[in-house]
């Protein structure tokens, strides 16, 4: 760790304030170029502790920057991991207030719900499929707190990987009822298909992103609890949205899921 506890707490407060007030900020590595990975995840953890202290509940976890399309779009090359709390969850067809967000974008994702805990190291696709209760389509709404969505990997980890809102819905399938690599994903904005992907765009297989998450947590002495919802990462580039937009994800064999921006 390169940062002391006071600095970590101050950066966590700063980033969470930006989230809650929908205000952007320059990326934090500009001021703290020595910040390391442990610092970045410690800042993210401190943001979670602030939310838990106000009564938030963790509902799941997310992997991000798990597809080449996303890595290329954001100019980074490592997957990142974050948390999802109840306040991020939007009901199927529900409305997201853009006044609460800075510059939201949407991403088509495959979501997993686990029936058993998963613990790395050594977690692999087979272990993930064995522990998965069902998968279903999801749309993640990301909203980097960094100005113009410009960041490096450590800054985005500290900012809880841009997590803001998500919706899951459609038709849940048992993991052996589909080939997650070839499942087609079509993301529409206002009825216009804009982004197209297949499950394999996410680390070759969306379950590989969940395995990577389990291994990441295992290295920190943690596990993914049973019952967790996990977003495996955007299969395509993220698409910018504004008030008035309606977004639908069609996932082959898994129906569709939608949300609106007001
Ligand atoms: C970081 C979060 C990326 C994904 O699915 O790739 C992410 C960002 O691009 O702002 O959630
Ligand atoms: Mg995402």
């Amino acid at each position: 760790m390169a940062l002391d506890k006071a600095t970590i707490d101050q950066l966590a407060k700063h980033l969470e304030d930006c989230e809650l007030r929908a205000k952007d900020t320059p990326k934090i590595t500009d001021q703290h170029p020595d910040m390391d990975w442990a610092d970045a995840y410690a800042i993210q953890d401190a943001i979670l502790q602030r939310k838990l202290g106000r009564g938030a509940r963790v509902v799941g976890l997310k992997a991000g920057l798990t597809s080449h399309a996303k890595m290329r779009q954001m100019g980074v090359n490592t997957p990142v991991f974050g948390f999802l709390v109840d306040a991020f969850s939007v009901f199927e067809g529900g409305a997201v207030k853009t006044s609460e967000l800075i510059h939201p974008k949407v991403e088509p994702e495959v979501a997993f719900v686990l029936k058993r805990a998963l613990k790395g190291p050594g977690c692999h696709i087979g272990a993930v499929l064995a522990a998965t209760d069902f998968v279903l389509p999801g749309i993640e709404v990301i909203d980097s707190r960094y100005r113009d969505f410009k960041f490096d990997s450590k800054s985005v980890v500290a900012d809880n990987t841009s997590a803001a809102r998500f919706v899951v819905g459609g038709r849940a399938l048992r993991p052996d009822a589909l080939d997650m690599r070839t499942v087609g994903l079509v993301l529409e904005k206002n009825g216009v298909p804009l982004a197209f992907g297949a499950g394999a765009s996410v680390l070759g297989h969306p379950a590989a992103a969940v395995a990577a998450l389990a291994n990441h947590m295992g290295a920190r002495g943690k596990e993914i609890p049973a019952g967790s919802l996990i977003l495996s990462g955007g299969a395509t580039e993220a698409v910018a949205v504004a008030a008035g937009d309606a977004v639908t994800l069609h996932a082959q064999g898994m129906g569709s899921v939608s949300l609106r921006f007001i």
Side-chain angles (χ1 to χ4, degrees), residues 62-66 70 74 80 107 109 140 142 144 149 151 156 161-162 233-234:
K62 61 168 282 190
L65 304 173
T66 48
K70 279 288 310 183
M74 305 321 296
V80 292
E107 304 181 314
E109 308 211 7
E140 185 180 25
I142 53 168
S144 177
F149 253 97
F151 50 68
V156 76
T161 67
S162 312

Side-chain angles (χ1 to χ4, degrees), residues 22 51 53 65-66 86 98 109 133 155 182 198 202 214 217 224 253-254:
K51 293 186 185 301
L65 304 173
T66 48
D86 48 352
T98 50
E109 308 211 7
D133 199 351
S155 293
T182 53
V202 174
M217 293 185 70
I224 312 179
M254 293 195 280

Side-chain angles (χ1 to χ4, degrees), residues 48 51-52 54-60 83-91 164-166:
L48 174 59
K51 293 186 185 301
L52 294 176
R54 292 194 303 267
R57 292 190 51 173
V58 175
V59 295
F83 64 81
L84 302 171
V85 289
D86 48 352
F88 298 172
S89 174
V90 180
F91 289 122
R165 301 286 184 273
F166 69 89

Side-chain angles (χ1 to χ4, degrees), residues 76-229:
V76 296
N77 56 13
T78 15
V80 292
F81 307 101
F83 64 81
L84 302 171
V85 289
D86 48 352
F88 298 172
S89 174
V90 180
F91 289 122
E92 158 64 17
V96 174
K97 288 191 187 132
T98 50
S99 60
E100 296 176 356
L101 301 172
I102 305 163
H103 41 200
K105 294 184 186 178
V106 289
E107 304 181 314
E109 308 211 7
V110 176
F112 290 68
V113 174
L114 298 188
K115 60 185 172 194
R116 287 205 299 275
L118 267 178
K119 187 157 191 195
C123 188
H124 50 71
I125 291 174
V128 173
L129 295 181
T132 297
D133 199 351
F134 53 85
V135 294
L136 71 179
I139 301 171
E140 185 180 25
V141 181
I142 53 168
D143 191 39
S144 177
R145 270 52 71 166
Y146 298 122
R147 195 151 300 155
D148 303 324
F149 253 97
K150 292 222 166 61
F151 50 68
D152 48 39
S153 303
K154 289 173 192 143
S155 293
V156 76
V157 162
D159 183 31
N160 191 26
T161 67
S162 312
R165 301 286 184 273
F166 69 89
V167 61
V168 292
R171 177 166 167 229
L173 291 180
R174 301 281 169 215
D176 59 359
L178 78 168
D179 180 346
M180 286 181 222
R181 298 167 306 164
T182 53
V183 67
L185 301 168
V186 177
L187 186 72
E188 279 179 14
K189 183 166 90 170
N190 304 325
V192 182
L194 284 182
F196 312 90
S201 349
V202 174
L203 295 179
H205 192 305
V210 181
L213 169 67
N215 291 330
H216 161 81
M217 293 185 70
R220 308 172 80 227
K222 297 183 188 172
E223 61 177 29
I224 312 179
S228 295
L229 173 84

